[in-house]
Amino acid sequence: MLSDEELLRYSRQILMSRFDIAGQEKLKSARVLVIGAGGLGCPVALYLGAAGVGQLRLVDDDNIELANLQRQIGFEQNQLGESKAESLAGRIRRINPLVSVTALDQRLEGEELARQVEEASLVVDCSDNFNTRFALNRACVAAKVPLVSGAAIRGEGQLSVYDSRQQSSPCYHCLYPEQGNEDLTCSQAGVIAPLVGMIGSAQAMEAIKVISGAGTPLVGRLLILDAWEMQWREMKLVRDPSCPVCSE
């Protein structure tokens, strides 16, 4: 049940017939695991916290640096050197004290990663390296937890949803082979600031759609953005029957 304060706070969402009180109650009951509290993780966490996701768990082992402030909108100049996860969690609590936010200032691996994924209703991948993405994908497939994946570099971004609860859904490994991928980071290639906000906001929207059941999530579809030309392209994704992660 939603309190009077929650009904007022989330009234603009509840007003929409396709979302309504039922959608808001599903958000309140959800536990979302956000991996990465950087350029993508900031808008994802801020929007999900403001929208009323009941439990948020933010994971990042980095501290805030000056070069982060160009695009990581959850942080301020006076927070340099502080934990990204802790600082972003504090910002969300100040925006919406009705949600529960936990910060994990660490890198999740192995059994701990598997446990955190199993406890989540949904996982949002805001990481910046392939090793984490592949490990997270394996954990989500094993636990049958939906995964909202996003990436952004230079002026290019992409996002998709992988939902192993659906038999026809591909997984991240169906799209990218685990061998042969080399990480290209923002510190090496650069990234334009609003791009991570656009992709992160879209990830938050996909997370809300999956949790609430409203709309059509990007399962089996990959959106690719060229921000310099402001063009979106959509690719259809199919499950790889020989995928070592999700094939039977």
Side-chain angles (χ1 to χ4, degrees), residues 169-218:
S169 173
C171 76
Y172 186 81
H173 198 287
C174 293
L175 180 62
Y176 293 105
E178 195 154 351
Q179 301 298 323
N181 278 302
E182 296 182 0
D183 292 333
L184 189 61
T185 64
C186 294
S187 61
Q188 295 171 315
V191 63
I192 193 69
L195 174 67
V196 292
M198 295 172 71
I199 298 297
S201 297
Q203 285 182 276
M205 185 66 198
E206 290 302 305
I208 289 173
K209 286 158 60 179
V210 173
I211 293 168
S212 68
T216 305
L218 282 171

Side-chain angles (χ1 to χ4, degrees), residues 90 111 124 143 173 178 223 232 242 245:
E111 292 183 0
V124 187
H173 198 287
E178 195 154 351
L223 285 188
W232 288 92
S242 60
V245 176

Side-chain angles (χ1 to χ4, degrees), residues 232-246:
W232 288 92
R233 291 188 294 124
E234 179 177 308
M235 293 177 55
K236 299 294 185 183
L237 302 179
V238 295
R239 189 172 185 176
D240 181 358
S242 60
C243 175
V245 176
C246 69

Side-chain angles (χ1 to χ4, degrees), residues 153-157 192 194-196 198-199 224-232:
I153 197 164
R154 295 183 292 254
E156 303 140 21
I192 193 69
L195 174 67
V196 292
M198 295 172 71
I199 298 297
I224 302 172
L225 170 64
D226 180 341
W228 294 116
E229 302 299 329
M230 200 50 69
Q231 292 180 343
W232 288 92

